[in-house]
């Protein structure tokens, strides 16, 4: 058990001294230190202390960039210093020479008009020269001597600043003062009361510094040896080519010389330099016009011009990033918040950390522009890799050099084009990647996106590891269900929902029209478009979840306006003359129709947003002894099962619905737009309503659409995509939508303009939905039809007379 090496003796008296904050240095007791003082308040402190003949307390700042630090921004322990000499400099600053005294514990700081006054309490350490302390001190002296002789940054006079006869605490402070380490490490040594503990910490720092210096020397020696060999070989080959030219034996290979110069200029890693030298030697053995020379020449161009070491500087400003996102995108608040969080983590950790965002949503909602905003906020270049239809893994990993026309994969190509490893790569349409017998590109993408092996990514063409860990990878997709599970596991999904009609109108007014007017050169006061006309185009003449069709329609108006303005006329577009300016539109009459038996509209979501689809059911007399079920309309397996569930419910409740145990009919279920593939459980409720309507001969009320999954017992289960479905229902003229009861909370979280203007009815059981959707009886349905037809005939007659 060792004896305690020192005993703390803290003086209880508190004195007032001028305070001098210093940067980039830690002063230790017993040393003379020269300071360049540029700050006005620091100069006043020196001058005032010199006039008063008092000492100053030098305390190091925690953050060197702070101009006016507070007490919390200063270390708590400093050193009292005597002002020996002050020299004014031409630029207004001064050079002060200070002699350091004892350690001081700063208790408080008060700022006056002239300088800072600190209340400080001195403390000293009475070191007991034990054998353990002497041994540790001698170890520190030996290591510091070894380091000073090898490291040119440590002045030689540092070895003469102490002698073996000096006390251990003085030797430790002298070594700490001259040691080339961090400010925080030096400050920790200054604040340590116990001399033995201080000596132990210093020994660890010295041992680590010596080891780091040895590693640095080994690396420098290896690199210098590599390039010394390259330069020597270069000069020898130059002499050889000169002799060969004189003899006329061999034609000079200028390409080999060019690559050798490129090798010396680009300074690639050692493994790349060695491979390049081997390939240059091979190139010189072939004729310049031969096919082998062409392949080697192309390979050398690639490996010598890749940014193996180049990394771009970036400075992420979160407030600026928010401004960029708000300027480029309207709405999408949840998406923008997630992007800001991503950038904040990147700024604090300086590490990608395996976070790969995948933006999922229908076309035209701003997925690609969000990636552009991220790259702009990070001050990086954006490279786009389109994956739609990619079938060969060589598109990602590159071709092997044994193939004719081999070349690297798209990732390496984009890195070379950008000239840096610090870029943002957008993997566009990752849900549309394909697989063929020539190789699975998914496996190559898994290697690219796996943070554990990104630093060792091997392109088949390069046949050498390339570090991808500094790259920010983003992805886009239209549908999560189409992304392969292995890829989905690597990414975090960020949903881009459809724009509401009001958001599309606002985007057109605030973003699109000013930009289109400027691009088409019609901002000369001769073009005007009414806000009501823009609203009509956005709500009635375009049918999309995003804004691409809206942009196309507005751009077509601007083009026509440019022709008219060149003819010397001004242009004013409003609702009255909009039909003269609008391009071919997607305007459709609302699907709201008269009550009809066996027909109900379902709501669905696809990659293009929400849509309504008619579901029709007809009961026919069976041709054989058993009734059959016919399902048409390009239905997927899940949707077919939903229709089967509706049929099962009808048969199990046939007595209460039909008064008979057997339906006794062939059932034909047809979903409109047969050329469009359809799948999913959301249409189960609409199919059941249409089926029971046909079986009971009760018409489905006008203006009703339904969404929900149905169980065999008639329970209505929750579904997704409610935002897109309600937007589609409002667009297509439905005034009532049946929604599962368990989706009530999700509906209430939707924006108000999505829910307003439509009656949302929550249903938990199929019988509840039937009571809302079906007319009470056949007689009532016939009477309603007659009344409606009569009203339509009267309206047509009045229009004809008018």
């Amino acid at each position: 058990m060792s004896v305690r090496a020192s005993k703390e003796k803290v003086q209880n008296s508190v004195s007032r001294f001028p305070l001098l904050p210093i940067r980039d240095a830690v002063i230790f007791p017993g040393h003379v230190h020269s300071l360049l003082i540029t700050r006005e308040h620091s100069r006043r402190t020196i001058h005032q202390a010199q006039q008063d003949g008092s000492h100053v307390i030098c305390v190091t700042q925690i953050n060197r960039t702070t101009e006016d630090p507070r007490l919390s921004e200063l270390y708590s322990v400093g050193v009292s210093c005597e002002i020996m000499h002050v020299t004014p400099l031409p630029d207004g600053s001064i050079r002060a020479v200070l002699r350091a005294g004892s350690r001081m514990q700063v208790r408080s700081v008060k700022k006056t008009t002239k300088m800072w006054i600190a209340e400080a309490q001195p403390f000293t350490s009475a070191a007991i020269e034990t054998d353990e302390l002497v041994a540790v001190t001698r170890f520190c002296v030996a290591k510091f001597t070894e380091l000073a002789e090898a490291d040119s940054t440590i002045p030689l006079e540092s070895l003469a600043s102490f002698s073996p006869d000096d006390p251990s605490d003085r030797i430790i402070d002298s070594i700490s003062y001259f040691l080339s380490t961090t400010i925080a490490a030096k400050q920790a040594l200054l604040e340590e009361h116990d001399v033995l503990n201080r000596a132990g910490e210093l020994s660890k720092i010295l041992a680590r510094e010596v080891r780091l210096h040895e590693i640095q020397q080994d690396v420098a020696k290896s690199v210098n040896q590599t390039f010394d060999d390259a330069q020597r070989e270069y000069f020898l080959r130059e002499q050889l080519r000169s002799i060969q030219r004189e003899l006329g034996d061999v034609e000079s290979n200028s390409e080999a010389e060019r690559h050798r110069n490129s090798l010396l200029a680009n300074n690639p890693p050692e493994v790349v330099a060695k491979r390049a030298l081997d390939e240059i030697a091979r190139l010189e053995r072939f004729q310049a016009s031969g096919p082998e020379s062409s392949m080697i020449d192309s390979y050398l161009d690639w490996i010598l011009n890749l940014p193996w070491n180049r990394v771009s500087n970036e400075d992420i400003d979160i407030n600026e990033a928010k401004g960029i996102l708000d300027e480029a995108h309207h709405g999408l608040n949840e998406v923008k918040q997630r992007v800001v969080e991503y950038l904040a983590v990147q700024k604090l950790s300086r590490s990608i950390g395996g976070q790969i965002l995948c933006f999922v949503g229908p076309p035209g909602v701003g997925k690609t522009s969000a990636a552009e905003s991220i790259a702009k906020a990070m001050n990086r270049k954006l490279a786009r890799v389109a994956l739609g239809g990619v079938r060969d893994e060589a598109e990602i990993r590159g071709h092997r050099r044994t193939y004719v026309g081999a070349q690297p994969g798209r990732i390496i190509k984009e890195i070379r084009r950008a000239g840096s490893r610090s870029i943002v790569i957008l993997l566009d349409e990752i849900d549309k990647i394909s697989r063929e017998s020539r190789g699975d590109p998914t496996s190559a993408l898994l290697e690219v996106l796996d943070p554990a092996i990104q630093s060792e990514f091997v392109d088949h063409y390069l046949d050498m590891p390339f570090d991808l860990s500094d790259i920010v990878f983003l992805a886009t997709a239209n549908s999560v269900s189409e992304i392969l599970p292995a890829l989905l596991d690597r990414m975090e999904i960020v949903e881009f929902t459809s724009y509401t009609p009001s958001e599309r109108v606002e985007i057109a007014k605030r973003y699109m029209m000013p930009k289109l007017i400027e691009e088409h050169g019609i901002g000369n006061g001769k073009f005007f478009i009414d806000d009501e006309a823009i609203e009509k185009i956005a709500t009635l003449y375009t049918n999309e979840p995003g804004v691409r069709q809206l942009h196309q329609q507005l751009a077509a108006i601007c083009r026509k306006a440019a022709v008219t303005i060149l003819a010397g006329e001004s242009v004013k577009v409003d609702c009255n003359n909009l039909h003269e300016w609008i391009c071919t539109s997607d305007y459709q009459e609302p699907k709201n129709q008269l009550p009809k038996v066996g027909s109900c509209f379902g709501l669905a979501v696809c990659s293009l947003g929400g849509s309504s689809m008619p579901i029709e059911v007809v009961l026919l007399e069976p041709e054989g002894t058993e009734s059959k079920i016919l399902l048409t309309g390009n239905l997927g397996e899940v949707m077919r099962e939903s229709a089967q569930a509706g049929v099962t419910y009808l048969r199990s409740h046939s007595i209460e619905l039909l008064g008979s145990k057997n339906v006794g009919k062939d059932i034909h279920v047809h979903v409109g737009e047969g050329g469009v593939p359809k799948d999913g459980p959301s249409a189960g409720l609409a199919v059941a309503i249409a089926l029971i309507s046909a079986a009971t001969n009760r018409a489905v009320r006008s203006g009703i659409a339904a969404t929900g999954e149905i169980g065999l017992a008639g329970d209505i289960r929750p579904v997704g995509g409610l935002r897109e479905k309600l937007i589609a229902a409002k667009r297509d003229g439905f005034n009532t939508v049946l929604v599962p009861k368990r989706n009530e909370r999700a509906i209430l979280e939707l924006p108000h303009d999505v829910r307003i203007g439509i009656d949302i009815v929550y249903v938990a059981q199929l019988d509840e939905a039937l009571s809302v959707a079906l007319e009470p009886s056949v007689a009532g349905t016939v009477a309603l039809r007659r009344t409606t037809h009569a009203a339509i005939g009267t309206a047509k007659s009045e229009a004809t007379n008018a």
Side-chain angles (χ1 to χ4, degrees), residues 330-332 498-508 723 751 753:
H330 178 75
L332 302 177
S498 301
Y499 287 118
T500 64
S502 61
E503 288 176 340
R504 295 171 67 230
V505 171
E506 194 67 21
I507 291 171
R723 177 189 177 105
D753 57 343

Side-chain angles (χ1 to χ4, degrees), residues 743-792:
N743 279 127
E744 184 174 2
R745 181 174 180 180
I747 291 289
L748 295 176
E749 292 176 353
L750 294 178
H752 180 67
D753 57 343
V754 174
R755 295 180 282 120
I756 193 173
I758 193 168
D759 184 16
I760 301 174
V761 180
Y762 301 104
V763 290
Q765 293 291 327
L766 182 56
D767 53 358
E768 299 176 18
L770 295 176
S771 64
V772 176
L774 299 184
E775 295 288 348
S777 64
V778 178
T781 301
V782 173
L784 177 61
R785 285 181 177 173
R786 289 175 179 173
T787 304
T788 306
H789 281 297
I792 294 175

Side-chain angles (χ1 to χ4, degrees), residues 221-237 260 263-264 270 273-274 277:
K221 182 179 179 181
S222 175
V223 173
N224 291 335
Q225 181 65 37
T226 299
F227 284 97
D228 287 345
D229 293 343
Q231 290 173 344
R232 178 175 176 275
E233 183 178 353
Y234 171 75
F235 289 121
L236 289 176
R237 291 191 179 277
R260 191 170 282 107
L263 172 62
L264 294 175
E270 182 179 355
K274 185 178 184 302
L277 289 174

Side-chain angles (χ1 to χ4, degrees), residues 427-453:
L427 303 175
D428 206 6
E429 296 181 328
I430 199 170
D431 56 332
K432 295 180 177 59
I433 195 169
S434 303
R435 285 180 287 183
E436 274 195 358
S437 58
R438 287 180 293 177
D440 184 4
T442 305
S443 60
L445 275 180
L446 290 175
E447 183 178 349
V448 170
L449 300 180
D450 191 343
I453 58 178

Side-chain angles (χ1 to χ4, degrees), residues 425-500:
I425 293 184
L426 177 63
L427 303 175
D428 206 6
E429 296 181 328
I430 199 170
D431 56 332
K432 295 180 177 59
I433 195 169
S434 303
R435 285 180 287 183
E436 274 195 358
S437 58
R438 287 180 293 177
D440 184 4
T442 305
S443 60
L445 275 180
L446 290 175
E447 183 178 349
V448 170
L449 300 180
D450 191 343
I453 58 178
Q454 279 181 341
S455 59
E456 296 293 328
F457 173 73
V458 177
D459 185 277
H460 287 164
Y461 182 77
L462 301 182
D463 196 24
M464 287 183 292
F466 192 93
D467 189 1
L468 303 180
S469 59
D470 289 323
I471 297 175
V472 174
F473 285 99
L474 304 173
T476 66
N478 293 133
S479 175
V480 176
S481 61
E482 299 297 326
I483 302 176
L484 297 174
L487 287 176
L488 190 61
D489 184 57
R490 292 282 191 273
M491 300 181 295
E492 178 182 349
I493 301 301
V494 179
E495 292 281 355
F496 277 66
T497 55
S498 301
Y499 287 118
T500 64

Side-chain angles (χ1 to χ4, degrees), residues 33-257:
H33 194 81
S34 176
L35 286 177
L36 176 64
I37 301 175
T38 59
R39 289 183 282 194
E40 178 63 28
H41 54 77
S42 297
R43 294 199 298 269
R44 288 198 300 266
T45 300
I46 291 293
H47 289 313
Q48 188 66 37
Q50 191 179 29
Q51 291 176 7
D52 298 340
S54 64
H55 287 59
V56 296
I57 297 180
C58 294
V59 180
T60 305
Q61 295 181 194
I62 297 175
N63 186 353
R64 67 174 304 276
T65 61
T66 304
E67 285 296 323
D68 191 8
R70 299 186 297 271
L71 178 61
S72 61
E73 297 172 318
L74 298 172
Y75 287 108
S76 61
V77 176
V79 177
S80 65
C81 296
E82 175 190 356
I83 303 174
M84 300 178 62
H85 184 68
V86 176
T87 304
L89 300 177
D91 60 354
S93 59
I94 60 175
R95 174 73 66 178
V97 180
L98 309 177
R99 183 192 300 278
S102 61
R103 289 173 167 82
M104 304 292 290
Q105 179 79 41
V106 178
R107 298 300 183 186
S108 63
V109 174
K110 181 180 180 182
K111 187 174 182 181
T112 66
T113 56
K114 292 185 177 181
M115 57 184 177
W116 287 323
I117 300 297
E119 291 188 351
Q121 185 175 3
F123 69 84
T124 59
S125 298
I128 301 175
E129 296 289 338
T130 64
D131 292 343
E132 184 177 1
L133 176 59
V134 172
V136 176
T137 304
R138 288 180 180 178
F139 175 82
C140 292
V141 171
K143 284 294 180 182
F144 181 69
T145 303
E146 179 183 351
L147 184 63
E149 292 175 350
D151 191 349
S152 59
T153 61
I154 300 177
L156 295 177
E157 59 267 20
S158 63
L159 298 175
S161 63
F162 57 86
S163 67
D165 297 332
D166 289 338
S168 295
D169 58 341
R170 172 172 168 73
I171 295 175
I172 296 302
D173 284 346
S174 296
I175 294 175
S176 302
Y177 178 75
F178 287 105
L179 185 61
S180 297
T181 186
T182 62
I183 296 296
K186 285 189 172 185
Q187 183 67 31
L189 293 173
L190 181 68
E191 295 179 0
E192 178 57 54
H193 292 260
D194 192 292
V195 178
L196 180 58
N197 290 342
R198 195 187 308 160
E201 290 300 320
L202 179 61
S203 66
K204 295 177 183 178
I205 295 174
L206 285 168
R208 182 175 181 272
E209 290 294 327
V210 170
R211 178 57 181 159
L212 290 176
H213 188 73
E214 291 175 352
I215 296 173
Q216 182 179 354
Q217 292 292 337
D218 292 341
V219 172
K221 182 179 179 181
S222 175
V223 173
N224 291 335
Q225 181 65 37
T226 299
F227 284 97
D228 287 345
D229 293 343
Q231 290 173 344
R232 178 175 176 275
E233 183 178 353
Y234 171 75
F235 289 121
L236 289 176
R237 291 191 179 277
E238 280 295 315
Q239 294 177 0
L240 177 61
R241 276 192 291 272
S242 178
I243 295 172
Q244 290 172 339
R245 282 195 296 268
E246 290 292 332
L247 297 176
D249 291 341
V250 180
E251 181 182 355
S252 175
N253 194 332
S254 60
E255 291 301 317
E257 180 179 353

